[in-house]
Amino acid sequence: MKINNSPNGEAVRFWKAFGFNTNVDPETETVIGTIPDNTVAIVARGSDQIDAKTRALQLIGIIPGLWGKTSPSDDVTLYALDAAAPLSAIKNHFESICSVFGPGDPIRLPSGQYFEPKGWAQSASDLSVLDSLQKGGAQQVPPAEDGDDQLPSIVENSPLAEFSLFGKGAELEMQAKDHTGLLGRAILSGQATVVYAPPNAGKTLIALHLLSEGVMSGKIRAQNVYYVNADDSGRGVAEKVVLLDELEANTLVPGMLNFTTAKLSEAMQKMVEDDQCNGVVIIVDTLKKFVDLMDKRQSAGFGNMVRQFVMKGGTFVALAHTRKNGAPDGALIYGGTSDVMEDFDAACLLVPLPERSPRGEKVVQFQFTKRRGPNDDSGYAYDDAKELSYSQRLASVRPVEPEDLDEFAAAELHRADEDIIAAIHGCLADGIQQKMAIRNDAAARCGASRRAVITVLERYTGDDPSEHHWRYSIQERGAKVYFAHEDCP
């Protein structure tokens, strides 16, 4: 049988491109495919199995990337496999409900009148990942009992019916963006992200660097970018317009060309209504110019509008300031009410690390307090010398490798512990060597809590003098007696 002349030729080509090894059953002319690697198929036969499978998947809470019928009463759902839910576990989970097939198994695929690829995933790599069976599952689906078919009648003309998204799943799936790295690995596409930072941390610099990298790598279409500069001097505006012009991206400035802060919300609302959000990236610098962060009603209203924008496929990034006064331990605190944090998909602090790079650069790190996806706590270094022009400073930005960040974090942690370390050394020098006595005396010496002293004492206990400050020996009646490494017997 020649595939190209077959009524199922288009289906065969689609499934081959998807990753299946396919052939056409000469008797039924249905498409048979061998499941590709890292893919699992959940097949239900008959209305009872379909209903039970649907309830089980709803309890798990993971939306399939592809679902289709293979006959009037059968269907197949495809997922990407994940180590957290191996094939054997999936089979055990669904064995009382329907059939599960894994890589190398042949299955019947949607074809003929059931071949409707619009809105489907286009390859195995696009499938939703079945990475959990813990949110519910087959075991929680109650067995059918006598009387289950005595359902109440459908409520007609419900006032909620006009808002139902029933039947729009494929359309929404096409509009929704996969949450992949867009601005580096920290800021994901199709999300609303707020980045809080103290003055001179480099939040605008890092954002423009990541934007430039995204455009240059082909992840972002520059003409769909709108950088809203509402927190800059005339000179700063001019410098950034020149830089963004080179990328062919758009700059908006309140007070110029009749643009106002109010018009941003109006324009975004119109983009939502006209379905013009997909692939658009809006960066607002800074958020306080567009919404009063201390006003819960304003913050909630703005967050709702941004939510509509990203639901239609847009990406929204807001830069904001931390509070002038941090926490008692010196940690940064985001500014404003919690509404923005609650309404956005991701929120982070851009934290300047006290340790400079070996090149003498300033080092900052994204530290996420909220994330809905694989937002990475990436680090960046840049030359902050005063004599550099903005374009020179922008050109100096570079990513910091994770292992280097770990070293900076370790140095920062050690610096934070220094007062307690000194107090413990003082105790040991004065002959105070048992754990509880060290805890009490060191806490009194440096004003730290007893719990903090115990944490530091245990953190720096060990046999390696390059990493540890002291060790202990077990003496009479099991007592732990501590010695500074230089004083060890």
Side-chain angles (χ1 to χ4, degrees):
M1 177 179 295
K2 293 184 178 180
I3 290 175
N4 288 337
N5 294 330
S6 166
N8 281 320
E10 184 180 0
V12 169
R13 288 189 291 273
F14 174 87
W15 291 116
K16 276 192 172 183
F18 196 96
F20 283 83
N21 292 323
T22 59
N23 60 75
V24 177
D25 186 323
E27 295 184 4
T28 63
E29 293 193 350
T30 56
V31 177
I32 307 298
T34 302
I35 298 175
D37 292 340
N38 302 316
T39 304
V40 61
I42 301 175
V43 179
R45 298 186 172 94
S47 59
D48 290 341
Q49 284 194 9
I50 291 174
D51 290 343
K53 183 202 73 169
T54 300
R55 283 184 288 170
L57 292 177
Q58 287 173 341
L59 288 170
I60 292 173
I62 302 175
I63 301 173
L66 192 152
W67 169 88
K69 297 187 72 64
T70 54
S71 76
S73 59
D74 299 353
D75 71 25
V76 58
T77 306
L78 299 179
Y79 285 103
L81 279 170
D82 186 87
L87 181 62
S88 58
I90 298 172
K91 286 185 175 181
N92 290 336
H93 195 78
F94 287 94
E95 63 182 355
S96 64
I97 294 176
C98 53
S99 301
V100 175
F101 301 91
D105 293 334
I107 61 168
R108 186 164 59 177
L109 295 167
S111 58
Q113 62 179 309
Y114 304 110
F115 180 65
E116 299 176 348
K118 183 178 180 181
W120 286 357
Q122 298 299 302
S123 70
S125 62
D126 296 330
L127 291 173
S128 296
V129 178
L130 184 53
D131 58 1
S132 174
L133 299 173
Q134 303 305 313
K135 299 176 185 176
Q139 294 87 340
Q140 296 188 24
V141 178
E145 298 178 358
D146 293 340
D148 273 3
D149 56 344
Q150 302 300 315
L151 295 174
S153 60
I154 296 173
V155 176
E156 302 288 349
N157 301 318
S158 165
L160 293 175
E162 64 177 299
F163 309 115
S164 171
L165 297 176
F166 177 77
K168 296 185 179 294
E171 178 185 344
L172 291 171
E173 196 168 47
M174 291 179 67
Q175 290 176 346
K177 286 287 183 184
D178 290 334
H179 292 168
T180 56
L182 187 72
L183 299 179
R185 301 189 309 273
I187 298 174
L188 308 185
S189 61
Q191 286 195 346
T193 303
V194 57
V195 180
Y196 294 95
N200 301 316
K203 60 182 179 299
T204 302
L205 186 78
I206 302 300
L208 293 181
H209 165 77
L210 296 178
L211 174 61
S212 176
E213 292 289 306
V215 171
M216 301 288 280
S217 66
K219 291 181 180 179
I220 301 171
R221 185 178 291 277
Q223 294 83 353
N224 288 344
V225 173
Y226 295 88
Y227 169 65
V228 187
N229 189 345
D231 193 31
D232 216 342
S233 64
R235 178 64 182 172
V237 167
E239 289 175 330
K240 294 176 182 65
V241 170
V242 169
L243 293 169
L244 290 166
D245 279 354
E246 292 179 1
L247 292 177
E248 299 185 4
N250 302 284
T251 305
L252 307 180
V253 179
M256 300 185 73
L257 298 180
N258 297 319
F259 178 70
T260 64
T261 54
K263 288 183 178 179
L264 176 65
S265 297
E266 295 171 7
M268 289 178 66
Q269 191 62 52
K270 190 171 191 313
M271 293 168 75
V272 169
E273 294 168 358
D274 296 344
D275 286 330
Q276 293 180 321
C277 306
N278 194 29
V280 175
V281 179
I282 296 176
I283 302 174
V284 169
D285 187 4
T286 62
L287 187 58
K288 70 177 182 180
K289 300 290 185 177
F290 294 86
V291 59
D292 184 352
L293 297 178
M294 300 305 296
D295 187 311
K296 290 184 65 68
R297 180 174 295 181
Q298 274 197 41
S299 296
F302 185 81
N304 180 59
M305 185 268 297
V306 170
R307 170 63 39 215
Q308 295 178 54
F309 174 75
V310 298
M311 286 290 290
K312 288 292 187 79
T315 300
F316 189 89
V317 182
L319 307 182
H321 294 299
T322 54
R323 294 182 184 177
K324 292 181 180 179
N325 299 318
D329 62 358
L332 300 174
I333 302 176
Y334 65 86
T337 68
S338 63
D339 294 272
V340 169
M341 293 271 288
E342 293 167 358
D343 292 336
F344 278 44
D345 299 294
C348 68
L349 296 165
L350 185 66
V351 179
L353 302 184
E355 193 79 6
R356 284 186 170 263
S357 77
R359 306 180 193 177
E361 303 155 303
K362 186 170 188 174
V363 181
V364 295
Q365 183 185 21
F366 288 99
Q367 296 181 2
F368 280 85
T369 56
K370 176 184 179 181
R371 65 187 102 202
R372 291 175 180 163
N375 307 79
D376 187 74
D377 290 342
S378 306
Y380 292 87
Y382 63 91
D383 191 337
D384 61 344
K386 293 181 179 179
E387 64 271 14
L388 294 180
S389 68
Y390 195 83
S391 59
Q392 289 173 322
R393 186 170 292 113
L394 182 62
S396 76
V397 178
R398 65 178 182 87
V400 176
E401 295 300 322
E403 56 268 24
D404 293 332
L405 272 180
D406 290 341
E407 289 185 14
F408 294 142
E412 182 181 3
L413 180 63
H414 191 279
R415 182 179 292 104
D417 294 341
E418 283 179 350
D419 288 347
I420 299 177
I421 291 171
I424 295 174
H425 273 298
C427 290
L428 299 179
D430 292 342
I432 302 169
Q433 295 177 288
Q434 293 194 13
K435 191 171 189 177
M436 293 302 103
I438 293 171
R439 180 198 67 179
N440 297 340
D441 196 273
R445 291 183 186 218
C446 67
S449 69
R450 293 180 178 183
R451 180 177 178 181
V453 171
I454 290 293
T455 299
V456 171
L457 181 66
E458 293 177 348
R459 180 178 292 148
Y460 298 103
T461 296
D463 296 325
D464 185 353
S466 67
E467 294 184 9
H468 307 119
H469 285 270
W470 38 73
R471 60 182 295 274
Y472 66 83
S473 65
I474 304 296
Q475 299 192 2
E476 292 182 8
R477 299 181 181 178
K480 289 182 179 180
V481 177
Y482 285 79
F483 303 88
H485 271 292
E486 58 269 23
D487 300 326
C488 284

